[in-house]
Amino acid sequence: MPAPTNTLIVEGSFEELADELATYLDGLASAQEQSTSVQSEIQPLLQDEGKREDVLKKIVTASSVLSSAPEREFIAAYNQLVHLIRQAPKPDMFLPKLCSNLSNPVTSSPHNSLGLQLSILTTIFNTLPPTSESRYHIFLAILSVVRKSTQSFELLRPQLKTLDLWLQNWDIDQEDSRKLYLAISDVASDAGDDTQSYAYLLRALRTLQDAEEVSTPEAQKLSLKALSHALGNPTTYDFSDLTALDSIQALRKSDAEWFELLEIFSTETLEDYDEFVSSHTDFLNSSGLNRSVLETKMRLLTLSSLAASASQTRSLPYATIAKALKIPAEEVERSVIDVIRAGLVEGKLSQSTQTFLIHRATYRVFGEHQWREVAARLDLWKRSLENVLRVLGEQKREFIAEKEREAKGEGEPRGFERGGGRGGRGGYRGERRERVQQEAVEVE
């Protein structure tokens, strides 16, 4: 997998290495019963250092035969080829051919083909400068190879953390960025990681910023794909990222039914969903969406909205939940447990009072009303903190005043009285009388 830039060291002059590799390619071709003469063709060109590009054109053109190289020689041969290409005046011109070659299986090692392909592509990627745009094309080739094996995505996953930095270094346009995001989304989808697939699909949609772009057939196709994924995924409950996209908003005109369904899942309740189902049966049947998943999600979202709306009482009676979800009272607790497991609310069921005590609830939409509620709570907390600070200030002033009195001696008798109590006062006076008597005896 791609790593920090490194150096590829191969001993020998360009002429020696080119002649050696050409001879090797001719040998592989001969074993495949192909007639080539790369070595003889480049011999006259090697005499002129200015002909290196022509030499490499012939070698790279014939390099597809390397897929038949023995496994133990495959990496060494490709490393030598990469080393030669790096010495060309314009090495980037040869990389597309290498990517094309490496996208095909290594016929000499079918069981380890994927590892060999990724090894060479990674070497090419890492030997290129960090700002080289060719890294973009190599990475696309890596994704193409990784897609052939779902297990390889786990090797790629850590590298995605530096993707934003790579894109910044490559300075590519939005269209190329979108192509890369979609490739990653497809790889993640094939690997069964729906969360990553959806995340990169959204990133691809965010590259559609122009007013004309968001209405193109490509934008419409990608938007419907993302919307279908979000609605059909049992664990996707937040649709704010979708509704914020211009390409999704464009569906309001081109695909009104899809957009209406999105609005229901974003802000409405189970009752609204049931009305939509009754009037759009044909659409739902042709949409490919799982009706059971949709209904289950809608129940959870409805209960989440109920909990959020009960911010003042912080509790919901079982009867209210049963009515909103259109379920028998005995199924309320199971529904509440489901919504807690989904992470939409936190709370505790009280069977004795038949209520759901709410600790936390997730707002599906955060608009003006929610901001006003937050402001009211902040004001309440502010007043509470001001009261606490006032009490602490008073206590501090009293403490300082008492210390000052003690320092002046005003607090000493009172301290004895508090510490000794009644017996303490008696002891103090008794000691004083004893001292007076002793003084009198001494005078006599």
Side-chain angles (χ1 to χ4, degrees):
M1 289 296 103
T5 305
N6 54 32
T7 303
L8 184 65
I9 300 177
V10 180
E11 295 183 356
S13 66
F14 178 87
E15 291 74 18
E16 293 172 342
L17 294 174
D19 183 72
E20 180 183 5
L21 184 57
T23 302
Y24 183 73
L25 293 175
D26 286 341
L28 291 176
S30 177
Q32 298 292 318
E33 298 182 353
Q34 300 176 15
S35 177
T36 61
S37 55
V38 180
Q39 196 270 343
S40 60
E41 291 177 5
I42 68 170
Q43 275 302 315
L45 301 174
L46 290 175
Q47 307 304 317
D48 185 353
E49 187 173 338
K51 298 289 186 179
R52 284 188 175 184
E53 196 169 280
D54 295 330
V55 170
L56 286 172
K57 285 181 181 179
K58 294 184 177 297
I59 292 178
V60 171
T61 300
S63 64
S64 57
V65 75
L66 285 175
S67 62
S68 63
E71 181 177 340
R72 64 180 181 275
E73 300 173 1
F74 180 86
I75 293 179
Y78 256 109
N79 283 345
Q80 187 166 331
L81 177 57
V82 172
H83 176 71
L84 290 172
I85 290 175
R86 293 187 64 203
Q87 298 183 55
K90 298 178 181 178
D92 291 354
M93 65 182 295
F94 301 106
L95 296 180
K97 176 61 177 176
L98 261 63
C99 291
S100 176
N101 292 345
L102 291 167
S103 64
N104 298 317
V106 180
T107 57
S108 62
S109 180
H111 297 294
N112 197 30
S113 174
L114 190 66
L116 294 172
Q117 292 169 264
L118 289 176
S119 176
I120 300 303
L121 286 170
T122 301
T123 297
I124 298 173
F125 184 95
N126 292 334
T127 54
L128 291 170
T131 56
S132 173
E133 189 176 335
S134 293
R135 274 191 161 198
Y136 165 79
H137 301 287
I138 301 299
F139 192 62
L140 282 177
I142 290 175
L143 291 173
S144 176
V145 173
V146 168
R147 192 174 182 182
K148 299 174 183 177
S149 172
T150 56
Q151 296 178 348
S152 298
F153 182 66
E154 294 304 318
L155 301 176
L156 178 67
R157 192 190 300 274
Q159 311 303 327
L160 297 179
K161 297 178 181 179
T162 57
L163 181 63
D164 290 336
L165 177 61
W166 289 346
L167 292 176
Q168 182 179 350
N169 289 337
W170 300 338
D171 193 25
I172 58 178
D173 58 25
Q174 296 284 18
E175 184 177 354
D176 286 337
S177 296
R178 181 164 60 254
K179 183 178 180 180
L180 183 59
Y181 291 144
L182 290 175
I184 297 174
S185 177
D186 290 339
V187 171
S189 178
D190 291 345
D193 192 335
D194 292 336
T195 301
Q196 283 277 37
S197 177
Y198 179 62
Y200 280 97
L201 182 55
L202 288 180
R203 295 187 70 171
L205 286 172
R206 292 190 187 105
T207 63
L208 298 168
Q209 300 174 348
D210 186 82
E212 295 181 358
E213 283 185 326
V214 298
S215 301
T216 61
E218 179 193 8
Q220 180 185 7
K221 180 180 178 181
L222 292 179
S223 298
L224 289 176
K225 181 180 179 180
L227 181 51
S228 176
H229 183 286
L231 293 173
N233 190 329
T235 60
T236 300
Y237 303 102
D238 184 5
F239 302 94
S240 57
D241 288 338
L242 270 180
T243 55
L245 295 172
D246 292 337
S247 60
I248 294 293
Q249 291 295 325
L251 297 179
R252 188 190 298 270
K253 295 181 179 179
S254 62
D255 298 87
E257 291 173 316
W258 278 100
F259 191 82
E260 183 180 353
L261 186 59
L262 172 61
E263 287 188 315
I264 290 174
F265 273 82
S266 298
T267 61
E268 305 301 334
T269 63
L270 180 63
E271 184 176 358
D272 300 295
Y273 170 75
D274 288 340
E275 291 179 2
F276 179 86
V277 170
S278 62
S279 58
H280 296 82
T281 304
D282 293 340
F283 163 73
L284 289 172
N285 290 337
S286 62
S287 66
L289 296 171
N290 188 317
R291 297 271 289 275
S292 176
V293 171
L294 294 180
E295 184 173 346
T296 300
K297 286 180 65 172
M298 201 66 241
R299 291 183 188 278
L300 297 179
L301 291 170
T302 299
L303 182 49
S304 174
S305 293
L306 274 178
S309 64
S311 58
Q312 299 299 325
T313 61
R314 311 300 294 173
S315 64
L316 280 174
Y318 281 15
T320 301
I321 297 175
K323 181 180 179 181
L325 302 187
K326 301 179 181 180
I327 56 175
E330 54 269 20
E331 294 183 13
V332 167
E333 292 186 354
R334 185 177 64 181
S335 296
V336 172
I337 292 173
D338 288 340
V339 80
I340 291 175
R341 286 176 176 171
L344 297 174
V345 299
E346 292 178 3
K348 183 173 63 175
L349 290 165
S350 175
Q351 293 181 335
S352 59
T353 61
Q354 292 288 287
T355 57
F356 173 44
L357 306 177
I358 304 163
H359 298 163
R360 180 192 65 82
T362 302
Y363 287 104
R364 293 164 62 191
V365 177
F366 209 88
E368 182 179 354
H369 175 73
Q370 286 72 32
W371 280 116
R372 290 182 183 276
E373 185 175 333
V374 169
R377 290 187 182 183
L378 289 175
D379 287 339
L380 178 61
W381 292 341
K382 180 181 178 181
R383 290 194 296 270
S384 298
L385 289 174
E386 287 174 346
N387 290 334
V388 170
L389 290 174
R390 179 178 55 78
V391 172
L392 290 175
E394 292 175 356
Q395 293 294 323
K396 181 179 179 181
R397 287 191 293 272
E398 289 181 6
F399 177 78
I400 293 174
E402 185 172 349
K403 285 294 183 181
E404 290 176 349
R405 288 195 298 269
E406 290 179 357
K408 294 177 181 179
E410 296 177 359
E412 185 176 344
R414 185 169 57 190
F416 271 96
E417 290 176 6
R418 286 198 302 267
R422 184 174 181 180
R425 288 195 299 271
Y428 172 75
R429 291 169 182 168
E431 291 172 0
R432 185 176 180 184
R433 285 196 299 270
E434 184 177 354
R435 285 199 301 272
V436 171
Q437 291 174 356
Q438 289 176 352
E439 290 174 357
V441 170
E442 291 175 357
V443 170
E444 292 178 351

